[in-house]
Amino acid sequence: MISVVITTYNVSKYVQLCLRSVQEQTYSNLEIIVVDDGSTDDTLTKINEIALSDNRIKVFSQINSGVSVARNYGIDNAHGDFIMFVDGDDMVEKNIVSELYSHVQPTTDVVICCCKCFNEDYSSENHFFAKDLNIASLEEKEILYLQLMNGEEGQPDKSSAFTAIGVPWGKLYRLDMLKQKHIKFDSTLRRMQDNIFNMYVFNEARVIYYLDYPLYRYRLDHISNYRHSKKRITSENYYKIISERQIFFEKYPEYMTTKIISGFNDECIKSYISSIKSICLSYKYSDARIRIIKLNSLSIYKRAFEHSFGNKSFKFNVIRFAINHGLLFVLYKLVRLIK
């Protein structure tokens, strides 16, 4: 049996399409777990109406606690051999479960597909890698970690790289592996909870199979909604993400190849730039100045600065020039001007 966990929050417009795409799977031995994260529209009503005619559907509702808590609830209540996550406003092709499951071998712990990105006016295939991959060794896993840190890494068409391998959907995870290794989504992370989740999954998985076939339909509203709320992501949020990455690499230093070290350093620099922007847009100058000084004292960023010689990021070089030459007020005004 395969457990499909659908998480929903105020997706009344799309949830019926999502549920039907799961119900109509060619692989029918499914357990469909819907976890509603405290929707305030009629999402839950529509879910319950559909569930009345399909005994495979189990509906749970929680006080609004975030998608990580909802997904973890799905893991705790799943009983299948494998588990799949679906976002409540997305859809899946009718053969996604059967196709992914057909690539499961005795030691396969994760099977992944790519996706179709779409909205009302646009549709495009997003291929995470250029071909099918059977990944088992530490060396073979390197490309996965590189793409976790830089979503465009390894993608054959960067112009259509709307998302990347770090997402939780479009995958079959062996449920026993998640439960035995105590791998869950970190509900304290404001964003990239799924990316950090997969970082630990990929480490524990014996074999990971990537199927270069777009079987998941990813609604691009996710991206526009994220960009709309991006200003609310704090420097503390950015710092926590790279801190989690550092904790992982300190625990598993065998992954620290030259490419991984370079990729992590680049991710730290991007985190630093985003943090500077967030601080400048969120605080008056006197408070922003104190926070930027504190940011520059953090060891994880100081180490990145030491390895940033030759960094071609224009934004980074402008920021460092301004700070090193006592032009912090100019930097603050410039960030707020261009946003």
Side-chain angles (χ1 to χ4, degrees):
M1 183 172 68
I2 306 296
S3 299
V4 180
V5 174
I6 304 172
T7 51
T8 62
Y9 177 71
N10 288 352
V11 288
S12 173
K13 183 178 179 181
Y14 305 118
V15 69
Q16 290 170 312
L17 293 172
C18 175
L19 266 171
R20 285 170 186 157
S21 73
V22 174
Q23 286 179 289
E24 294 171 358
Q25 289 297 301
T26 55
Y27 185 97
S28 60
N29 188 18
L30 301 177
E31 172 188 51
I32 304 172
I33 300 171
V34 185
V35 185
D36 183 72
D37 187 32
S39 291
T40 57
D41 61 6
D42 61 345
T43 296
L44 189 56
T45 299
K46 291 183 176 180
I47 294 168
N48 285 326
E49 288 174 353
I50 295 174
L52 288 174
S53 59
D54 191 336
N55 60 14
R56 298 176 300 173
I57 300 177
K58 302 175 182 178
V59 183
F60 301 93
S61 179
Q62 64 181 31
I63 297 172
N64 183 241
S65 307
V67 69
S68 292
V69 174
R71 288 174 180 150
N72 288 338
Y73 192 88
I75 293 173
D76 290 340
N77 288 276
H79 302 91
D81 299 309
F82 284 82
I83 187 170
M84 171 185 287
F85 298 101
V86 178
D87 287 347
D89 50 354
D90 292 337
M91 293 186 289
V92 292
E93 301 294 344
K94 65 180 182 180
N95 59 334
I96 185 172
V97 176
S98 60
E99 282 289 335
L100 294 184
Y101 192 59
S102 71
H103 292 280
V104 171
Q105 299 296 324
T107 57
T108 305
D109 292 321
V110 185
V111 186
I112 305 168
C113 67
C114 55
C115 66
K116 293 177 183 176
C117 301
F118 76 101
N119 57 27
E120 292 180 2
D121 306 311
Y122 178 85
S123 179
S124 174
E125 294 185 357
N126 192 160
H127 296 263
F128 301 151
F129 301 105
K131 61 180 181 179
D132 291 6
L133 299 172
N134 196 66
I135 298 169
S137 68
L138 209 64
E139 293 75 16
E140 290 169 335
K141 289 182 180 181
E142 181 184 62
I143 189 59
L144 299 177
Y145 286 93
L146 290 173
Q147 194 173 118
L148 285 177
M149 294 184 291
N150 177 0
E152 294 184 351
E153 186 72 35
Q155 296 211 29
D157 184 3
K158 292 176 175 53
S159 66
S160 64
F162 290 102
T163 186
I165 201 72
V167 295
W169 42 256
K171 297 177 175 66
L172 286 181
Y173 299 97
R174 191 178 294 275
L175 186 58
D176 280 350
M177 175 191 67
L178 298 184
K179 291 187 174 182
Q180 290 172 9
K181 300 299 182 179
H182 308 289
I183 303 175
K184 289 196 171 182
F185 294 90
D186 186 347
S187 61
T188 67
L189 287 175
R190 182 71 181 274
R191 59 186 291 267
M192 288 183 70
Q193 312 96 319
D194 44 7
N195 185 295
I196 301 301
F197 172 84
N198 279 314
M199 183 172 66
Y200 285 93
V201 166
F202 294 160
N203 174 63
E204 296 293 347
R206 293 166 296 176
V207 176
I208 303 163
Y209 191 87
Y210 169 71
L211 176 64
D212 191 41
Y213 187 24
L215 294 165
Y216 191 93
R217 295 180 58 81
Y218 175 68
R219 195 176 296 277
L220 288 174
D221 292 11
H222 291 286
I223 296 175
S224 60
N225 291 340
Y226 161 69
R227 286 174 177 166
H228 179 70
S229 63
K230 192 172 183 179
K231 62 186 178 185
R232 295 194 295 271
I233 299 173
T234 68
S235 57
E236 289 81 7
N237 297 145
Y238 289 115
Y239 177 71
K240 184 165 176 55
I241 293 164
I242 59 169
S243 295
E244 288 298 322
R245 192 87 73 201
Q246 179 174 263
I247 289 169
F248 175 85
F249 287 135
E250 288 175 348
K251 187 174 183 179
Y252 303 104
E254 59 269 26
Y255 284 102
M256 294 299 280
T257 64
T258 300
K259 287 184 178 180
I260 293 288
I261 293 171
S262 177
F264 181 53
N265 185 69
D266 288 345
E267 185 181 32
C268 288
I269 294 298
K270 290 177 182 177
S271 173
Y272 174 76
I273 293 170
S274 296
S275 296
I276 292 289
K277 180 179 179 181
S278 175
I279 290 171
C280 290
L281 294 179
S282 302
Y283 299 95
K284 61 183 182 180
Y285 175 68
S286 58
D287 293 332
R289 181 177 179 276
I290 294 171
R291 287 177 175 271
I292 291 174
I293 291 172
K294 180 180 178 181
L295 189 76
N296 281 278
S297 70
L298 296 174
S299 60
I300 198 166
Y301 290 130
K302 290 174 72 174
R303 184 163 52 251
F305 299 156
E306 292 171 1
H307 295 87
S308 64
F309 181 77
N311 189 288
K312 294 184 173 64
S313 168
F314 176 75
K315 290 181 180 178
F316 174 71
N317 289 323
V318 167
I319 291 170
R320 295 306 298 161
F321 179 86
I323 291 174
N324 291 335
H325 291 81
L327 301 173
L328 189 53
F329 183 72
V330 176
L331 173 66
Y332 175 81
K333 287 294 186 181
L334 182 62
V335 171
R336 293 179 71 88
L337 178 66
I338 63 177
K339 294 186 179 181

